[in-house]
Amino acid sequence: EYNVSDSTGNNAIPIIRTINVVDTTAPIITLTGASSITLEGGIDNYQEPGFTAIDNYDNDITDKVDVSGTVDVNTVNTYYITYNVADACGNQATEVIRTIDVVDTTPPLITLNGASNITLNLLDPYIEYGAAVLDNIDGDISDNVIISGSVDVNTVGTYYIKYNITDTNGNVAIEKVRTINVVDTTPPVITIIGDNPATVELGDAYTDAGRTVTDLDTVTNTRTSDVDTDTVGTYTVTYTATDASGNTATATRTVNVVDTTAPVITSSDTF
């Protein structure tokens, strides 16, 4: 208000200046941490990094910020957290957005059920125990594991069973391999045919009655004998069988050369 009087006491009409103090400045929201965050799905957790809101009139109004939006760390997607606030004079801050990308770059983990190295004897059955598979996003996906390879229990050798899987986001698991060794540790079985011990009369020819050999694999047979039918005594016939895996079996027959024939006396004398 402005007033004045002149020297003769005349008062001027007062003049008033009006000053309006206003607030038209919006608050400013500032994020703490990065405005774009990447999380590994099923492994990382989302923790709000925080924020501040400063106003020219109300000063710190951080506690009045409205935060909205959610993050599902078990589902691959892009999520948005929004931050808004208005000061006491109704000035609305510019909305701030934080972007959270939940991604899946982790391959599934294959764990073999049972041993990774198995030894089977020839003809033993092979039992497939399978594998368990866990994924950070898909969970238990054991039913989807791909098993390849075969085992021939009729043939000595080393066989490999492979386990593979890819999750729904295209991550390929590290291949697991089970090794199966089919071996033959069983020796052949020799069955002697005929008498054991056998008896041969002195001077007669000895004919061996033979033997049978059974085995899981192919067999090489040999026979050795020291029978001398011209000499009374006890002799041995030895049978040996060796299969393709080097397993050896032996069996023996005892042969007794005897003399049970009485002498024949022939007289040429004349009485």
Side-chain angles (χ1 to χ4, degrees):
E1 184 175 313
Y2 303 86
N3 289 287
V4 69
S5 297
D6 60 17
S7 58
T8 59
N10 297 301
N11 293 320
I13 297 173
I15 296 176
I16 296 174
R17 189 195 308 270
T18 301
I19 296 90
N20 295 306
V21 177
V22 298
D23 179 11
T24 60
T25 303
I28 296 175
I29 301 173
T30 303
L31 294 181
T32 302
S35 61
S36 182
I37 296 174
T38 299
L39 301 176
E40 186 67 19
I43 297 175
D44 295 336
N45 292 316
Y46 176 67
Q47 295 181 337
E48 174 56 53
F51 48 86
T52 59
I54 303 299
D55 184 62
N56 61 309
Y57 186 71
D58 297 328
N59 296 317
D60 189 343
I61 54 172
T62 301
D63 59 349
K64 292 182 172 57
V65 173
D66 177 37
V67 182
S68 62
T70 59
V71 178
D72 181 1
V73 295
N74 294 310
T75 303
V76 172
N77 208 341
T78 298
Y79 300 88
Y80 304 97
I81 305 297
T82 59
Y83 306 82
N84 288 281
V85 71
D87 63 18
C89 294
N91 298 299
Q92 184 71 41
T94 300
E95 181 180 74
V96 175
I97 299 175
R98 194 191 309 268
T99 302
I100 297 92
D101 291 307
V102 177
V103 300
D104 180 14
T105 61
T106 303
L109 178 63
I110 302 174
T111 302
L112 295 182
N113 297 327
S116 61
N117 198 308
I118 296 174
T119 298
L120 299 176
N121 204 43
L122 203 64
L123 301 186
D124 284 350
Y126 171 66
I127 299 173
E128 175 54 58
Y129 293 103
V133 185
L134 290 178
D135 185 65
N136 56 311
I137 291 294
D138 300 331
D140 188 343
I141 52 175
S142 303
D143 291 342
N144 298 328
V145 67
I146 299 172
I147 303 175
S148 61
S150 62
V151 179
D152 181 2
V153 297
N154 298 304
T155 304
V156 171
T158 300
Y159 302 88
Y160 303 97
I161 305 297
K162 298 179 180 180
Y163 304 80
N164 290 282
I165 196 168
T166 301
D167 66 20
T168 55
N169 292 300
N171 299 298
V172 179
I174 296 174
E175 181 182 75
K176 287 297 182 73
V177 179
R178 195 191 310 270
T179 302
I180 297 91
N181 296 298
V182 177
V183 300
D184 179 9
T185 59
T186 303
V189 175
I190 301 173
T191 302
I192 294 175
I193 300 172
D195 294 336
N196 187 19
T199 301
V200 180
E201 187 67 22
L202 185 71
D204 289 349
Y206 170 67
T207 301
D208 191 79
R211 76 287 191 196
T212 61
V213 180
T214 59
D215 188 70
L216 303 176
D217 208 340
T218 56
V219 177
T220 300
N221 286 290
T222 59
R223 181 184 69 186
T224 59
S225 173
D226 63 354
V227 177
D228 180 2
T229 58
D230 292 325
T231 304
V232 171
T234 299
Y235 300 91
T236 300
V237 178
T238 301
Y239 308 93
T240 302
T242 302
D243 64 21
S245 296
N247 301 298
T248 299
T250 60
T252 59
R253 187 198 308 272
T254 300
V255 179
N256 295 308
V257 176
V258 298
D259 181 6
T260 61
T261 304
V264 177
I265 301 174
T266 303
S267 176
S268 61
D269 295 337
T270 300
F271 293 97

